[in-house]
Amino acid sequence: MEKKKFSFKGMHCATCVQTIEGALEDLDGVQEVRVNFASESGVVVYDPQKITEEKIVETVAGVGYGATVQIGGNSDHEKLEKEKALNSLKTKVTVGLGVGAVLVWGTFPGLMETAPSILKNFYVQLLLATPVQFWVGWEFYRASIPALRNRTANMDVLVAIGTTVAYVYSAVVTLFPSLVERAGVEPEPYFDVAVIILALILLGRFLEARAKAGTSEAIKKLFGLQAKTARVVRGKAEIDIPIEEVRVGDVIRVRPGEKVPVDGVITGGESSIDESMVTGESIPTDKHMGDLVIGATINKTGSFLYKATKVGQDTMLSQIIKLVEEAQATRAPIQRMADLISSYFVPIVLMLGILTFVIWYVLGPAPSALYAILNTVAVLIIACPCAMGLATPTAIMVGTGRGAQMGILIKDAASLETAHKIDTVVFDKTGTLTEGKPVVTEVAVIDGARRVLPRAFSQENPQGDPFLGVPRPASPLGLDKDETELLRLAASLEKGSEHSLAEAIVNCAQENKMGLLQATKFKAHAGRGVEGQIARKKYLLGNALLMAENKVDTKLAVGEMQRLESEGKTVMMLSEGKKLLGLIAVADTIKSTSREGVGKLQKMGIETVMITGDNERTAFAIAKSLGIKRVLSEVLPDQKEAEIRKLQEAGRKVAMVGDGINDAPALAAADVGIAMGSGTDIAIESAGIVLINKDLNSVPRAIELSKKTMRTIKTNLFWAFAYNVLLIPVAMGILYPFFGLLLNPILASFAMASSSISVVANSLLLKRGTIF
Amino acid sequence: MRTDEIVVILLGVSSIVFVWWYFLGKKRKEVRVSESVDIIVDGGYSPEVISIPAGKTTQFNFLRRDPTNCLEELVIPDFRIKRGLPLNEKVTVEITPKKSGEYTYHCGMNMYKGKIIVKG
């Protein structure tokens, strides 16, 4: 069953709801329809096997309305409802504070002398306080009643009991003063206490709600990035349609300055696209025919046509939003303590309140009953479980949101928490530190003349560092007959392989327009190479290990191989049976951000390690150019996980950065798995953090973000706990025997209101401050 | 010691015992469901403890009647679900647990809790 939200157009009365619902309910495959008139939207639950989204839209159109699929997000209805609730809260706070101020004027010693006598009248005070107690205070009663019925206690129960005690006592004093006089207490009401507490706590709640909305701002911003319309090519015409109506396969025109509406592949034209909103990468990327474009990114220069490949909730932006939302649903381990305490907190505070009353009544100074009541109220009011409840989730919300803006997707709160403890980062080489698109750089035939293929160096690399250079594939004229044959044989063997080295060889052969031969009995040896038969002859193509296993004599090639490997190239040998035919060297280019990213990690005191299936020489050569000192080379794919575990057993907190299927077990085994967003689905699935951009600087950034978030969580938890641990005893009167100090219930409510706001505000600070 | 003081002490002790029993000594009733369950969200979750079979999809239909913002968010961490619960609007969450065990669901601040017991 699939559930989709639709927006409806043209609804003008409640009967329209029935018309739409009736029409859709009659369709085979529709299980449930709920249409909301106020928000002009509805939800349809249907079986996608039996009925399509288009059919639903068509049916609605058939009865005279427009329908489009809604993409994620809160409905307007929900937003309106929230706004309404906030406005009502604002009114209550204003009335409460206004009445409270008047009451304080009439009762507060020092102030009351200036007040008109009418305000000093207890009956007038009762009249003013009663509506506030029950209308403003209804928020608390309303929440307390069902909670109490469910045998749970929340903060509202504490506030409701606390203020009711103050109000009822004051009402009794006003209506039956003789009762309290008989107990030796001067009849003096505390209406101001009840009213001000209610108003201040609601004010706190109002401000907290406003601040809390800021914690999910990043997600809202992501939603807002979406284009509203798309210019779709229909026949010879180009028409603008709402983005919700774009379907997979539609050809879309994007002009300079416009947003790319959905994900797709360029079919005509080229441009430079600003992808910063999705990847965090600030430099626009050049896109040509066949390149992927991402919805919500901005087209800078050219106009191009592209074919939509992903729409609606399948687009990258929607997936990012989904991942971030899912992450925010998970709980950080650090929260466990706060969770445990908060589940006992309110009942314990209630018990402490009762205890306070008994102690003050029995042991307190005269008038003990009054002291007992006021201190009990203070205890009930000062206790603030909210600050504890908000401490971690708000920081996680802001932290994950900030990450998403930088192109760092944190998939769960636990990864965000663990990342700050990381002391070792293991990088997979291919596709992570390097571009992962190796190209053939040399072909050498044994017994023939070795030929070094031409290579161009990029302008960014004037010194000619071989690792930053962009090797160019062999030109057709650059190879002699023997070399061409060697490459042809190798490419024919590798045709069936999916290894990146194989791709380099096949590509080189194809670019040189070599016809490939038919290879049979193909067999891949993980981490070693491949074998196969061509024209009834058995060929092997792979590393020294494969050759040794098959007893191929490689003596003649050793010197050349060592030279190439010391340059960081991967060398593969081709043999016909046991006879070595030649060598093919393949090199991968290092990503421009790798060196910087590694350097930053090292500055943070984190050890960087490179893990690769390459042999030691090649691996060290690349590691050296990156500044990585520790290299785990010749690691077979299935051993990567074991290597991570070995590091962990040595007491290291390990982050693994990788992108391939073979990295998945290591990513899962590491304390924090970091997958490159361009990597395979399974790698992304196994990782806790996904870097949407290919920028290796994101690794230190993610760790830095984790550090900052954890610092915020710890400060929040410290204040939330310290606040309750210190102030509850003060409210109980622990300081009274020593200093004669008591906590005024009004001050208690002020402190309570500010405690949860301060926690949210502290979390919001995470939005500021630079992260590299 | 005066009589009123003795009365206050006795009342106080019995109230403390009552609070303990009422809030912390609560036994939650387990409700067995196989396909779908309606959960009313009002001052907590009712029913609170739901037992479902493993390997099958169960629909949880949450209906929030409580207007306070405490319960406006639903979180089921083990299934990575976080949903807003609009007032008086049914929100359906589908869960297909693979492993048996106990999973909690709670409000945004983890003050109100419920339990999903998955039986293999």
Side-chain angles (χ1 to χ4, degrees):
Chain A
M1 281 295 154
E2 194 143 337
K3 185 177 168 185
K4 284 236 163 99
K5 235 175 179 174
F6 289 80
S7 293
F8 297 110
K9 275 185 208 137
M11 281 169 51
H12 46 79
C13 62
T15 5
C16 302
V17 174
Q18 286 158 13
T19 316
I20 296 175
E21 283 186 346
L24 291 179
E25 271 161 5
D26 286 343
L27 291 174
D28 186 25
V30 171
Q31 194 197 41
E32 197 188 341
V33 188
R34 274 179 291 121
V35 178
N36 187 311
F37 174 54
S39 63
E40 295 195 301
S41 67
V43 175
V44 183
V45 181
Y46 64 97
D47 182 354
Q49 310 268 320
K50 287 187 183 162
I51 186 165
T52 59
E53 217 173 272
E54 287 79 11
K55 178 77 189 159
I56 293 172
V57 174
E58 248 173 53
T59 310
V60 176
V63 289
Y65 304 92
T68 42
V69 180
Q70 265 188 20
I71 305 159
N74 289 349
S75 65
D76 291 341
H77 175 61
E78 208 178 320
K79 235 189 262 166
L80 274 177
E81 200 183 85
K82 276 201 165 168
E83 263 169 37
K84 224 170 94 187
L86 269 184
N87 281 336
S88 131
L89 210 56
K90 206 165 148 187
T91 319
K92 286 186 172 178
V93 169
T94 318
V95 173
L97 284 178
V99 174
V102 171
L103 285 172
V104 168
W105 192 16
T107 53
F108 203 75
L111 265 180
M112 60 189 287
E113 289 75 20
T114 63
S117 57
I118 188 168
L119 289 183
K120 293 178 208 162
N121 184 307
F122 292 171
Y123 289 99
V124 173
Q125 290 180 3
L126 174 67
L127 269 178
L128 282 170
T130 305
V132 177
Q133 180 67 34
F134 296 103
W135 176 64
V136 175
W138 178 242
E139 297 280 328
F140 300 99
Y141 291 121
R142 174 64 191 83
S144 303
I145 297 162
L148 288 175
R149 230 183 4 233
N150 270 331
R151 295 178 70 174
T152 45
N154 54 17
M155 204 194 84
D156 299 84
V157 172
L158 296 177
V159 177
I161 296 178
T163 56
T164 308
V165 167
Y167 172 80
V168 170
Y169 172 78
S170 309
V172 170
V173 164
T174 308
L175 299 172
F176 315 102
S178 54
L179 266 181
V180 285
E181 270 169 358
R182 230 179 291 155
V185 180
E186 198 187 325
E188 194 188 334
Y190 285 88
F191 290 117
D192 54 338
V193 171
V195 168
I196 298 267
I197 288 173
L198 288 172
L200 277 180
I201 293 178
L202 276 192
L203 173 67
R205 212 169 260 193
F206 173 75
L207 295 174
E208 181 194 311
R210 288 249 304 251
K212 251 164 84 184
T215 60
S216 55
E217 217 165 52
I219 288 267
K220 280 184 211 141
K221 262 193 202 158
L222 285 175
F223 269 122
L225 289 175
Q226 202 111 36
K228 302 276 179 289
T229 57
R231 197 171 180 81
V232 176
V233 182
R234 292 271 156 88
K236 279 183 186 163
E238 288 180 7
I239 49 164
D240 284 320
I241 60 168
I243 188 173
E244 294 85 357
E245 288 174 11
V246 177
R247 296 282 166 269
V248 170
D250 278 348
V251 176
I252 301 165
R253 156 93 57 206
V254 186
R255 290 165 297 187
E258 282 181 347
K259 267 185 190 171
V260 176
V262 295
D263 298 0
V265 179
I266 297 186
T267 53
E270 55 185 27
S271 183
S272 165
I273 294 180
D274 175 5
E275 295 185 332
S276 61
M277 53 297 292
V278 179
T279 63
E281 170 63 57
S282 55
I283 304 161
T285 325
D286 290 334
K287 301 270 179 176
H288 313 277
M289 189 131 141
D291 282 346
L292 264 176
V293 287
I294 307 166
T297 55
I298 294 171
N299 179 28
K300 299 293 261 191
T301 49
S303 168
F304 64 90
L305 282 171
Y306 80 102
K307 198 166 152 188
T309 52
K310 279 176 182 166
V311 299
Q313 298 185 347
D314 300 326
T315 61
M316 185 153 168
L317 185 72
S318 294
Q319 292 297 315
I320 290 174
I321 293 169
K322 191 172 154 241
L323 268 182
V324 178
E325 280 183 336
E326 281 182 356
Q328 293 175 348
T330 60
R331 300 188 78 74
I334 193 170
Q335 216 166 337
R336 267 181 222 144
M337 188 65 168
D339 283 349
L340 186 74
I341 291 177
S342 67
S343 56
Y344 294 100
F345 189 81
V346 178
I348 286 175
V349 171
L350 276 175
M351 291 186 251
L352 287 176
I354 299 167
L355 188 69
T356 308
F357 187 89
V358 174
I359 291 174
W360 278 92
Y361 192 87
V362 177
L363 303 173
S368 63
L370 184 63
Y371 276 118
I373 287 176
L374 289 180
N375 290 331
T376 304
V377 172
V379 170
L380 297 179
I381 298 302
I382 194 90
C384 185
C386 287
M388 279 189 281
L390 289 167
T392 321
T394 51
I396 298 277
M397 293 265 279
V398 181
T400 47
R402 175 106 199 245
Q405 283 171 338
M406 295 189 292
I408 301 165
L409 285 187
I410 295 145
K411 282 171 61 192
D412 52 48
S415 297
L416 184 63
E417 180 176 337
T418 320
H420 86 289
K421 294 187 203 146
I422 293 301
D423 54 20
T424 310
V425 176
V426 180
F427 290 97
D428 161 56
K429 191 203 82 181
T430 314
T432 304
L433 290 169
T434 66
E435 293 288 353
K437 281 187 190 138
V439 283
V440 173
T441 56
E442 274 102 349
V443 176
V445 177
I446 302 295
D447 291 329
R450 205 200 105 247
R451 190 182 295 266
V452 178
L453 300 174
R455 179 180 29 203
F457 294 106
S458 70
Q459 281 180 337
E460 292 158 34
N461 180 30
Q463 285 83 26
D465 184 330
F467 303 107
L468 287 178
V470 183
R472 193 193 289 162
S475 76
L477 301 172
L479 295 171
D480 64 20
K481 205 178 128 217
D482 289 342
E483 287 163 343
T484 307
E485 197 48 34
L486 187 78
L487 198 59
R488 188 203 309 277
L489 281 170
S492 305
L493 276 177
E494 292 279 35
K495 213 169 33 178
S497 167
E498 281 168 1
H499 199 279
S500 60
L501 295 177
E503 211 181 299
I505 295 173
V506 175
N507 282 347
C508 181
Q510 278 168 352
E511 279 162 23
N512 286 292
K513 304 208 167 50
M514 295 174 187
L516 298 187
L517 307 164
Q518 183 67 38
T520 54
K521 295 187 181 166
F522 174 82
K523 206 167 152 195
H525 300 277
R528 294 173 182 84
V530 295
E531 65 167 81
Q533 256 188 23
I534 297 171
R536 293 198 187 149
K537 284 181 189 158
K538 184 185 171 189
Y539 290 94
L540 293 164
L541 177 69
N543 56 18
L545 208 61
L546 183 75
M547 297 299 141
E549 275 172 6
N550 288 279
K551 301 194 174 72
V552 178
D553 184 7
T554 55
K555 246 182 276 157
L556 278 173
V558 170
E560 187 59 20
M561 213 166 79
Q562 281 178 354
R563 190 193 67 78
L564 290 165
E565 281 177 352
S566 68
E567 288 173 6
K569 289 164 188 165
T570 306
V571 182
M572 282 184 288
M573 286 176 268
L574 179 72
S575 78
E576 181 193 319
K578 287 187 176 134
K579 185 186 158 208
L580 188 66
L581 298 178
L583 309 175
I584 297 172
V586 169
D588 193 357
T589 45
I590 286 176
K591 281 184 192 163
S592 56
T593 53
S594 295
R595 195 174 292 179
E596 206 183 331
V598 166
K600 278 180 188 163
L601 284 170
Q602 286 168 342
K603 244 184 234 159
M604 288 164 84
I606 293 168
E607 185 177 12
T608 48
V609 181
M610 187 175 90
I611 195 163
T612 174
D614 287 354
N615 67 59
E616 211 177 315
R617 251 192 313 272
T618 315
F620 268 102
I622 292 174
K624 198 179 154 201
S625 86
L626 280 169
I628 294 178
K629 291 190 183 70
R630 192 162 175 185
V631 178
L632 304 169
S633 58
E634 290 170 54
V635 178
L636 292 177
D638 54 347
Q639 289 169 358
K640 280 187 183 173
E641 182 194 351
E643 290 294 336
I644 299 285
R645 293 209 190 279
K646 258 190 234 164
L647 285 167
Q648 285 170 326
E649 275 157 26
R652 297 307 191 98
K653 280 271 174 206
V654 186
M656 164 81 196
V657 191
D659 72 326
I661 296 173
N662 59 28
D663 297 323
L667 286 168
D671 297 287
V672 177
I674 303 176
M676 306 305 285
S678 50
T680 53
D681 288 349
I682 186 151
I684 292 172
E685 190 76 21
S686 313
I689 296 176
V690 181
L691 308 179
I692 312 178
N693 50 32
K694 293 172 193 162
D695 188 344
L696 262 276
N697 284 309
S698 294
V699 177
R701 260 182 223 139
I703 294 175
E704 175 80 0
L705 178 67
S706 162
K707 281 188 177 164
K708 287 208 161 140
T709 311
M710 287 315 292
R711 209 175 302 145
T712 304
I713 293 177
K714 284 177 186 165
T715 333
N716 282 351
L717 284 174
F718 172 79
W719 282 115
F721 277 105
Y723 166 85
N724 282 300
V725 168
L726 294 177
L727 289 186
I728 293 178
V730 172
M732 288 176 79
I734 205 167
L735 297 179
Y736 188 79
F738 312 105
F739 309 104
L741 272 179
L742 280 175
L743 189 65
N744 183 313
I746 292 183
L747 276 182
S749 69
F750 182 75
M752 206 230 82
S754 43
S755 72
S756 30
I757 301 170
S758 61
V759 161
V760 179
N762 190 37
S763 295
L764 285 174
L765 282 182
L766 259 179
K767 280 189 192 175
R768 297 193 188 161
T770 45
I771 293 180
F772 294 126
Chain B
M1 195 174 275
R2 297 195 317 257
T3 331
D4 59 328
E5 287 175 353
I6 294 171
V7 171
V8 165
I9 292 174
L10 286 177
L11 272 177
V13 171
S14 46
S15 307
I16 289 177
V17 173
F18 174 77
V19 168
W20 181 275
W21 167 80
Y22 193 76
F23 295 111
L24 301 174
K26 185 172 76 161
K27 284 204 176 64
R28 300 168 177 201
K29 219 172 92 190
E30 186 181 321
V31 178
R32 292 189 83 148
V33 277
S34 57
E35 275 175 6
S36 92
V37 58
D38 293 331
I39 299 172
I40 303 297
V41 183
D42 194 3
Y45 302 97
S46 174
E48 220 172 46
V49 184
I50 293 133
S51 111
I52 59 169
K56 269 181 74 181
T57 302
T58 310
Q59 278 190 348
F60 289 74
N61 306 313
F62 289 90
L63 179 66
R64 175 162 78 98
R65 293 228 181 99
D66 194 326
T68 53
N69 56 5
C70 284
L71 282 152
E72 69 184 3
E73 215 167 61
L74 166 78
V75 185
I76 317 178
D78 293 302
F79 296 93
R80 293 170 171 262
I81 292 168
K82 188 170 110 173
R83 288 281 165 80
L85 301 179
L87 194 62
N88 295 321
E89 207 174 292
K90 195 163 93 177
V91 173
T92 302
V93 172
E94 282 188 353
I95 291 173
T96 316
K98 286 184 189 127
K99 275 190 215 157
S100 51
E102 285 191 8
Y103 306 93
T104 52
Y105 63 94
H106 51 76
C107 68
M109 281 160 65
N110 202 1
M111 300 277 175
Y112 293 99
K113 287 174 201 167
K115 207 191 283 175
I116 301 170
I117 301 170
V118 178
K119 291 182 176 163

